[in-house]
């Protein structure tokens, strides 16, 4: 049975494909019954690929483009198997629609989840074209092969794809068992890459982002929201605001109620001819807020409460051997506490959306990672079916997880319905920093008993942080299995006695997914602690790490009774293999010249390694501290094992970007609250790394591999902060256990 189907030109397909096109759709849910297709003529399992009579190949990109190159990489996979000329391929962005399966572009899973499906779609179309040519020439199909946008036979005849479309449409869709997927040696694009499809538009300023969307008759809105999560509007005076030139008036949006989820927060919206007038009018508002239950939230006090939590026994989430018995024997013990503050996404393009509500339907244009969440959220906000919400996905000026939460889109939709005209909501930088779905604040405690060589005989670790599920469930206070599986449950060291615990923590701000998620704070604590143990033992850091890692093996979580999420993938397909981590550690040591590096005043290398999103990463960071205590990072080496790499240049770019992103967070990233109000507001008090603060060079070393593709968008972040701090210890002798680094005086 094939998972690929021919579809007719129904509904929105008419806007994309012509009447004579061969259109194939690849099934995203292999388990979904064919009966569903037969019973529902309008149901389509996910359209990907069509071939027009003029030979143009059109491929639907159902994921969102935010700089990863996914709008190029996945279509490239289908084009490769199809044997298409990339110059004759056109990529179309999909509307939000469940028919495409999961469109939430997060979790570093786009290639992992859809690589095989896109290959199958391309190979299916190729075989149908080859069969069409064989029919036309009256020869066995085995004598026909697709080559660079045409089919040729052994006699030298050739027909272009366009010439074969009409006949190909009449061919039966081949079963999956009939397909011949290419061998790696036959790949035209996979593993080599092509320029991204948006390159010219981006370079010439023609690319359309969410903040660029415009509609005739559109008005602009800027919204004043409660400075404290859960605060309610007590009174407001908008008389001065309405006197600002260009301001039409104000609209009150009802406050959200817990759990906040993706709801619009509520507040007072100033409506104007343009965004500048709306902002000016907003500044004239006089508002009194009832701050509510989170008014007592204070970062300094909350940090102490988290640290107090991890100093006490908590809920056990992984247990091997008998940690307590070893500690009871006494001997050498090392312990440490670590802390990571709230972080903000701070995307270069702040949240923005345009909504047009007409006759019970609403059409959206926005930069979103999750157009289906837009449909769901807006539908609930307006009291209409999600099918009545049409979401056009623009390019994203950065996402990092923020734009998978469509609260800002709901605001635009609510206002469009109230006003009866198109409305654009634009968040200011201050709005974005003060009302984010923050990366959670976290505290960790680690303790190890060590033998005569400084190697742990027992290892105890505790963490506490407000979990992401708390944004959707007011009773959620413990880390979810997914969060705890990100660098905490899966500590890979060969230690006979090991226990991991997790303590409760209540949220006071919205907590959300952030690039690399829980791996950030877990890796910071674990990788720093290993460096501390190595230093205490007087051993080379990398030698010590490899000794701790032990011989290559596959971690058997089931045998030890540990529930491990593995990023939603089966462990038999994506096992946790310590040998792969060892390989990237050895590679980065070689490429960075770790063993040859000699002591140098004010300069040292730092090391860390981590598995996340099923990929294995090791980094060596070259750090320099000048006589005034200023930090610079001349070079970072990153070794990556991500299985089959589809687009090497885009993968390198993501690790280069991750190095800048992570260095910025480590050096300066910190969001704090006082009286429930976020204290930062813009890049002046929540800075990102400038040129002199970012790594000067990042060298990415990809491990060649034919294994299943794994994540690349996020795994570059977690090891950077501990590697920098480990280097700073080597330079200054000061151990940094609390981020950001800016809060520690080095000299």
């Amino acid at each position: 049975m094939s998972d690929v189907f021919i579809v007719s030109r129904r509904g929105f397909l008419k806007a994309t494909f012509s009447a004579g096109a061969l259109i194939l759709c690849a099934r995203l849910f292999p388990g979904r019954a064919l009966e569903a297709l037969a019973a529902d003529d309008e149901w389509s399992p996910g359209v990907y690929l069509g071939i027009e009579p003029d030979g143009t190949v059109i491929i639907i990109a159902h994921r969102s483009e935010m700089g990863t190159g996914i709008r190029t990489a996945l279509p490239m996979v289908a084009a490769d198997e199809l044997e298409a000329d990339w110059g004759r391929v056109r990529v179309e962005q999909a509307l939000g629609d469940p028919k495409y399966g999961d469109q939430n572009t997060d979790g570093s899973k786009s290639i992992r989840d859809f690589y095989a499906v896109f290959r199958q779609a391309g190979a299916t179309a190729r075989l149908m074209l080859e069969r069409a040519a064989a029919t036309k020439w009256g020869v066995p199909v085995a004598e026909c092969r697709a080559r660079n946008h045409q089919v040729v036979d052994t006699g030298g005849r050739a027909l272009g794809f366009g010439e074969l479309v009409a006949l190909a449409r009449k061919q039966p869709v081949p079963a999956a068992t009939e397909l011949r997927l290419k061998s790696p040696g036959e790949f035209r694009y996979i593993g080599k890459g092509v320029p991204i499809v948006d390159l010219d538009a981006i370079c010439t300023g023609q690319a359309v982002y969410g903040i660029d969307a415009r509609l005739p008759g559109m008005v602009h809105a800027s919204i004043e929201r409660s400075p404290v999560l859960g605060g309610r509007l007590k009174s407001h005076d908008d008389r001065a605001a309405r006197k600002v030139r260009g301001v039409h008036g104000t609209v009150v949006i009802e406050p959200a109620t817990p759990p906040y989820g993706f709801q619009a927060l509520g507040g007072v919206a100033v409506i104007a001819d343009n965004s500048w007038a709306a902002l000016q009018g907003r500044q004239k508002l006089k508002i009194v807020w009832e701050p509510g239950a989170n008014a007592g939230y204070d970062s300094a006090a909350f940090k102490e409460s988290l640290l107090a939590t991890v100093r006490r026994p908590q809920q056990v989430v992984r247990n091997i051997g008998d940690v307590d018995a070893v500690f009871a024997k006494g001997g050498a013990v090392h312990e440490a506490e670590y802390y990571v503050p709230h972080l903000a996404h701070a995307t270069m393009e702040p949240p923005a959306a345009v909504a047009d509500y007409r006759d019970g339907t609403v059409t959206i244009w926005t930069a979103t990672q999750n157009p289906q969440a837009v449909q769901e959220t807006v539908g609930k906000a307006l009291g209409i079916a999600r099918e009545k919400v049409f979401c056009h996905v623009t390019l994203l000026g950065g996402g990092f997880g923020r734009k998978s939460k469509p609260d800002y889109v709901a605001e635009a939709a609510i206002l469009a319905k109230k006003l009866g005209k198109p409305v654009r909501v634009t968040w200011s930088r201050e709005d974005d920093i003060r009302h984010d779905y923050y990366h959670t604040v976290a505290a960790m405690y680690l303790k190890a008993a060590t033998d005569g060589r400084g190697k742990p005989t027992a290892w105890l670790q505790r963490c506490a942080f407000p979990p992401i599920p708390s944004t959707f469930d007011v009773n959620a206070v413990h880390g979810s299995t997914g969060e705890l599986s990100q660098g905490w449950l899966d500590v890979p060291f060969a230690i006979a006695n090991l226990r991991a615990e997790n303590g409760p923590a209540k949220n006071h701000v919205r907590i959300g997914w952030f690039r690399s998620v829980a791996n950030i704070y877990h890796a910071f604590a674990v990788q720093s602690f290993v460096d501390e143990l190595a230093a205490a033992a007087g051993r080379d850091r990398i030698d010590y790490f490899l000794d701790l890692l032990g011989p290559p093996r596959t971690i058997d979580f089931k045998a030890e009774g540990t529930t491990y999420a593995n990023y939603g993938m089966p462990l038999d397909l994506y096992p946790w293999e310590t040998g792969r981590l060892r390989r990237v550690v050895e590679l980065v040591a070689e490429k960075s010249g770790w063993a040859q590096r000699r002591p140098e005043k004010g300069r040292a290398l730092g090391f860390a390694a981590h598995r996340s999103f099923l990929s294995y990463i090791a980094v060596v960071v070259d750090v320099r501290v000048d006589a005034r205590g200023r930090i610079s990072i001349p070079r970072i080496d990153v070794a990556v094992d991500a299985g089959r790499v589809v687009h090497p240049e885009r993968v390198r770019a993501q690790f280069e970007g991750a190095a800048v992103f992570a260095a910025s967070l480590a050096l300066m990233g910190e969001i704090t609250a006082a009286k429930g109000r976020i204290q930062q507001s813009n890049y002046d008090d929540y800075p990102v790394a400038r040129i002199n603060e970012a790594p000067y060079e990042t060298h990415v070393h990809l491990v060649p591999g034919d294994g299943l593709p794994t994540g690349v968008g996020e795994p570059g972040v977690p090891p950077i902060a501990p590697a920098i701090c480990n280097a700073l210890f080597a330079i200054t002798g000061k151990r940094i256990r609390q981020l950001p680094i800016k809060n520690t005086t080095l000299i």
Side-chain angles (χ1 to χ4, degrees), residues 145-162:
R145 284 287 182 270
R147 293 283 186 273
N148 195 28
H149 229 87
Q150 59 183 4
V151 178
V152 299
D153 75 350
T154 52
R157 290 177 291 186
L159 288 168
F161 282 2

Side-chain angles (χ1 to χ4, degrees), residues 265-276:
L265 283 172
V268 181
V270 176
I271 311 300
D273 289 336
N274 53 67
S275 56
W276 177 251

Side-chain angles (χ1 to χ4, degrees), residues 145-282:
R145 284 287 182 270
R147 293 283 186 273
N148 195 28
H149 229 87
Q150 59 183 4
V151 178
V152 299
D153 75 350
T154 52
R157 290 177 291 186
L159 288 168
F161 282 2
E163 298 174 274
L164 293 168
V165 163
L167 196 52
R169 294 177 63 188
K170 300 177 182 176
Q171 302 300 314
V173 178
T177 53
E178 297 179 89
L179 300 178
R180 185 189 66 83
L181 296 177
K182 286 183 170 181
S183 66
E186 296 176 287
F187 288 154
R188 292 166 57 87
Y189 310 119
I190 297 171
K192 299 165 186 170
V194 296
I196 60 172
V197 297
D198 306 296
L199 184 63
D200 288 346
I202 291 172
C203 291
T204 58
Q206 302 302 305
V208 176
Y209 294 81
I211 208 164
D212 298 321
R214 299 283 190 280
L215 286 181
M218 180 179 77
V219 294
H220 297 254
S222 184
I223 302 169
E224 185 71 16
R225 305 167 187 85
S226 169
V228 180
L229 180 65
R232 303 181 75 84
L233 183 65
K234 194 170 183 179
S235 65
H236 77 287
D237 181 348
D238 65 357
R239 287 174 291 182
R242 286 188 280 110
K243 291 178 182 177
V244 173
R245 184 176 183 182
V247 170
H248 299 186
T250 61
V251 176
V252 172
I253 302 176
E254 292 302 311
T257 55
Y260 297 102
F262 299 151
Q263 297 178 71
L265 283 172
V268 181
V270 176
I271 311 300
D273 289 336
N274 53 67
S275 56
W276 177 251
L279 285 166
Q280 295 303 301
R282 181 178 161 191

Side-chain angles (χ1 to χ4, degrees), residues 307-426:
L307 289 170
T309 298
V310 299
R311 290 168 190 151
R312 303 187 301 268
Q314 298 296 337
Q315 180 174 289
V316 177
V317 293
R318 186 185 184 192
N319 190 45
I320 304 171
D322 191 342
V323 169
D324 293 332
V326 177
F327 284 130
K329 293 179 181 176
V333 171
H334 189 84
E335 57 187 337
E337 297 171 353
Y338 301 91
Y339 174 78
V340 175
H342 282 303
L343 302 168
H345 297 82
T347 59
M348 191 60 69
E349 178 199 26
V354 173
D356 187 11
Y357 180 87
R358 297 173 189 271
D359 302 324
T361 66
V362 62
T363 307
I364 306 287
W365 288 262
T366 189
T368 177
Q369 294 174 241
N370 193 351
Q372 292 167 16
V374 169
Q375 292 183 293
E376 187 74 25
T377 301
V378 169
K380 287 182 180 177
L382 302 188
I384 61 177
R386 60 180 297 164
E387 291 78 15
K388 301 292 185 181
V389 181
F390 300 93
C391 182
H392 296 269
V393 181
T394 69
L395 294 179
L396 283 70
F400 315 131
R402 171 63 182 93
K403 291 170 184 171
S404 64
K405 302 128 181 135
D407 54 330
Y408 55 99
V409 188
E411 292 176 337
I414 291 168
L415 292 172
K417 184 177 182 183
K418 284 178 176 285
L419 296 171
K421 61 179 68 174
V423 176
R424 190 178 88 176
V425 167
T426 308

Side-chain angles (χ1 to χ4, degrees), residues 1-7 23-39 43-49 62 98-102 113-122 124 173-177 179:
M1 180 186 298
S2 175
D3 288 331
V4 180
F5 307 90
I6 293 179
V7 295
I23 310 169
L24 294 177
C25 54
R27 187 161 54 176
L28 289 166
F29 310 107
R32 192 161 182 172
L34 279 175
E35 290 75 13
L37 180 63
W43 181 77
S44 175
V47 177
Y48 289 127
L49 189 156
H62 70 302
K99 67 163 62 78
Y100 294 113
D102 178 9
D113 282 0
F114 302 107
Y115 174 72
V117 180
F118 272 72
R119 288 191 72 186
Q120 186 179 354
T124 300
V173 178
T177 53
L179 300 178

Side-chain angles (χ1 to χ4, degrees), residues 461-520:
Q461 56 183 40
R462 298 190 191 109
C463 65
F465 54 88
I468 292 172
S470 65
T471 296
F472 307 94
D473 177 0
V474 295
N475 298 314
V477 292
H478 282 96
S480 64
T481 300
E483 290 166 308
L484 295 170
S485 295
Q486 296 183 3
W488 197 248
L489 286 176
D490 53 344
V491 171
F493 307 126
I495 301 173
N497 304 284
L498 185 151
R499 188 166 76 224
E501 302 176 4
N502 173 244
K506 183 174 173 55
N507 80 346
H508 298 278
V509 295
R510 297 187 297 182
I511 303 297
W513 302 278
F514 184 98
R515 188 179 189 179
S516 298
V517 207
N519 289 290
I520 292 177

